[in-house]
Amino acid sequence: MNKQMKYSSHNLKLSSGEYTIPGADLLCDTQHYKAVLRTLNMRFSEKERSKIRIADLGCLEGGYSVEFAKAGYDAVGFEAREENIRKCNFLKEDLKLQNLKFIKDDVKNIEKYGKFDVIFCAGLLYHLDYPVSYIKTLGKITNKMLLLHTHYAVENDLLYDKADELPETKQMLDKYNYNLSAIEENEGKKGRWFREYKEGEEKETIEKSVWAAYSNHRSFWVLKKDLLQTIREAGFDLVFEQYDFLKNISTDDYIERYDRSQFVGIKS
């Protein structure tokens, strides 16, 4: 592997036996990936998986796309940033997976790439300024299933609304770096705004900000109940929250601590 190409999130085993992030947990062994794969494999038989087209939106370093391809699915990863797409294409070349493809483009242009059986949207929705419209777009181009892992806003939350009055919540705000706005309405749904970077930020800075939005300086976190309703309005008549991405459902406070969870929308 090119030593100048440093992976920061997805650890995969390369053809040489090297790892993209030596010492880190393999992505395929993470609880989140295992939960997603269980859902996919429950819906699609082994015989039909090669015909199931999965779009991995904002695929970052390409790890999930790779694992979907390894599991037999027809995987297409979408990534806008040049540095990340180089890492993605290196994986494709090294692992020689014929059912794997990467496309360099803003995910907001997803409609022009046709329809998909499954949309995998993890760590992306809360970076968009019009998430309601985007989910409805995904509803138009998705034949069977939406897998959505995302933050959402909480309506009555002292962490945001009382931060000035309660110093200890201000410390938590600084710790988790959310700093969301008061409750507002956007696209007919309630939620909170999040500042991604300053308006008019230079393109070079945005390219390097791999954990931020790509083409909007602020994003809108929809309230959880409005998020669930939006998924249903987008044409997914079965809507679930999937808890088995947690290692221990009874003791892990990940969902409450981060206001983030795994959702599944299915067209029955």
Side-chain angles (χ1 to χ4, degrees), residues 86-99:
R86 284 195 305 108
K87 296 175 183 178
C88 293
N89 287 327
F90 171 79
L91 292 175
K92 176 175 172 55
E93 181 180 347
D94 179 78
L95 298 173
K96 295 179 171 50
L97 294 166
Q98 299 303 311
N99 55 337

Side-chain angles (χ1 to χ4, degrees), residues 109-169:
N109 299 323
I110 187 67
E111 271 188 285
K112 73 181 186 181
Y113 295 98
K115 291 201 171 186
F116 296 86
D117 298 296
V118 178
I119 295 288
F120 178 69
C121 182
L124 172 80
L125 188 73
Y126 55 86
H127 287 305
L128 301 179
D129 47 355
Y130 296 107
V132 174
S133 297
Y134 196 70
I135 290 175
K136 291 182 178 180
T137 294
L138 296 183
K140 293 177 184 177
I141 66 169
T142 309
N143 294 325
K144 302 179 186 298
M145 182 185 293
L146 170 65
L147 297 166
L148 178 64
H149 191 73
T150 186
H151 286 297
Y152 49 81
V154 177
E155 189 160 20
N156 300 309
D157 197 330
L158 290 177
L159 180 60
Y160 308 121
D161 298 329
K162 299 293 184 180
D164 292 335
E165 301 174 25
L166 302 173
E168 64 273 19
T169 64

